[in-house]
Amino acid sequence: MSNIYIFFFLDSCMKYMRDGSVIVARLLKGEEFIESVKSLCEKEDFSSGRVQAIGAVKRAVLGYFDTEEKKYVHFECKGELASCMGNIAKKGDDIVVHVHAVVSDREGTCKGGHIVQAETSATVEVFIDVVPGLKRALDAETGLYLLDL
Amino acid sequence: MSNIYIFFFLDSCMKYMRDGSVIVARLLKGEEFIESVKSLCEKEDFSSGRVQAIGAVKRAVLGYFDTEEKKYVHFECKGELASCMGNIAKKGDDIVVHVHAVVSDREGTCKGGHIVQAETSATVEVFIDVVPGLKRALDAETGLYLLDL
Amino acid sequence: MSNIYIFFFLDSCMKYMRDGSVIVARLLKGEEFIESVKSLCEKEDFSSGRVQAIGAVKRAVLGYFDTEEKKYVHFECKGELASCMGNIAKKGDDIVVHVHAVVSDREGTCKGGHIVQAETSATVEVFIDVVPGLKRALDAETGLYLLDL
């Protein structure tokens, strides 16, 4: 019953700079947001931090968590990445990039939710603060991997 | 003429960690956002900073300030906390948590405004930067307690 | 074919404080957001950083970049500045303040996009992190000045 989304992305080739614990990256046209941030974690050897971004996306899948059915409902949108914020944390050997966004269209109408996937249009400008120690663990009640602090 | 909202919240029992001037907290189901941040100020002995959060809220009261009538109009919403940012400052002996949010529903439709109250659903993940020295003072023209810098 | 917007603003007289690389500013009624941030760059002698703000705007012009026609479409809105984030970078001898916002009205309805101009209503509270080294260069494909990292 769930929709299937097929994306073809560029290999990660975003540009970035680092100044201490702050990383600034620019994603190139076609790069996917979540995978690009994960790729940056590998390149810069960190797995935990805070994320903020603006830019534009030509195709994004956002999610809404249905707390009754304990699953995500997905929908698509595109346009300006009007707001984008969240965090990076370890989940076992994997890295979870948990980011929420507001995407706005030509009339300014907004769609908001959890970023499942988002493909860069003209540009996405990302700020990351490396903050050590964030990890996630399964929460039995919600079925979600929540921050384990 | 103003609406009355009655909330019953859990006592504050959020999980958090601190790394220098950065605090990361996870609010538990049922915890109220504004009171939880205030509680964190007490626990960690600070009264001034910057706030950013994402997550989900099962019931939020947002406000819009009517500059003509010099009062807040309130409305309710719930869903993903798509965006949430603001600041913490002293107001006399009290602490003001001034945060604006965008809350999105199952279709991604967004409601935005000033957070009056917001009850955590599955999770709310909060980043705070402790920045010293912020306080508020009454502004005669607007009737609001504005940042006194 | 493009709309003309005429604004009359106060000379910049915002209040601010600085703590290391963090600047907190409060814009006064009538002050324009982009020009005020640029003015702060001059006063505090920096040209590169990250921006976050909340508050209220009595008139904002937001933009949507049409990637087909390679130009911005503009529209107006006003109300709560529910979300506002972006960055500051050099473009030759000039400074570019690239910020996206979500503005919400009395019912909470949101309009999002790139801030072209935004006039402060009751208050706008701005946090800036000075991050050195950001600059922009013309990107031939999009016709935009993108971050040159």
Side-chain angles (χ1 to χ4, degrees), chain B residues 50 65-66 87 112 141 147, chain C residues 26 80 106 108 125 129:
Chain B
R50 169 170 42 181
F65 188 70
D66 184 320
N87 56 68
E141 189 185 344
L147 283 180
Chain C
R26 171 166 70 87
E80 297 290 320
R106 173 180 283 265
E125 299 167 359
D129 296 290

Side-chain angles (χ1 to χ4, degrees), chain B residues 51-67:
Chain B
V51 180
Q52 186 177 307
I54 59 169
V57 289
K58 59 180 161 179
R59 189 182 176 208
V61 180
L62 300 185
Y64 168 91
F65 188 70
D66 184 320
T67 52

Side-chain angles (χ1 to χ4, degrees), chain A residues 19-32:
Chain A
D19 180 63
S21 63
V22 180
I23 296 168
V24 184
R26 171 165 71 86
L27 308 193
L28 306 186
K29 189 174 169 178
E31 286 189 300
E32 197 277 321

Side-chain angles (χ1 to χ4, degrees), chain A residues 7-15 25-37 53-61 77-81 84 103 115-126, chain C residues 65 67 98 100 139 141-142 144 146-147:
Chain A
F7 284 78
F8 299 97
F9 297 115
L10 285 175
D11 279 348
S12 169
C13 48
M14 89 281 266
K15 308 295 185 188
R26 171 165 71 86
L27 308 193
L28 306 186
K29 189 174 169 178
E31 286 189 300
E32 197 277 321
F33 183 81
I34 300 293
E35 288 307 315
S36 296
V37 173
I54 60 168
V57 289
K58 58 180 160 178
R59 189 181 176 210
V61 179
C77 56
K78 66 179 182 180
E80 298 289 322
L81 193 58
C84 180
V103 175
I115 294 187
V116 178
Q117 281 184 312
E119 188 181 356
T120 304
S121 172
T123 190
V124 170
E125 298 167 358
V126 188
Chain C
F65 187 69
T67 51
H98 183 213
H100 285 195
D139 174 65
E141 188 185 343
T142 58
L144 295 170
L146 302 182
L147 283 179

Side-chain angles (χ1 to χ4, degrees), chain C residues 3 9 13 16-17 24 26 40 45 58 61 74 78 93 105 115-117 121 130 132 138 143 145:
Chain C
N3 298 324
F9 297 114
C13 48
Y16 71 93
M17 55 149 267
V24 184
R26 171 166 70 87
L40 208 45
D45 195 24
K58 59 180 159 177
V61 180
H74 293 169
K78 66 179 181 180
D93 291 336
D105 69 12
I115 294 187
V116 177
Q117 281 184 313
S121 171
V130 179
L138 183 62
Y145 282 83

Side-chain angles (χ1 to χ4, degrees), chain B residues 48 88-91 133-137 146-149:
Chain B
S48 169
I88 301 164
K90 286 211 83 168
K91 182 184 120 185
L134 301 178
K135 57 185 192 296
R136 294 186 175 274
L146 302 182
L147 283 180
D148 182 22
L149 299 168

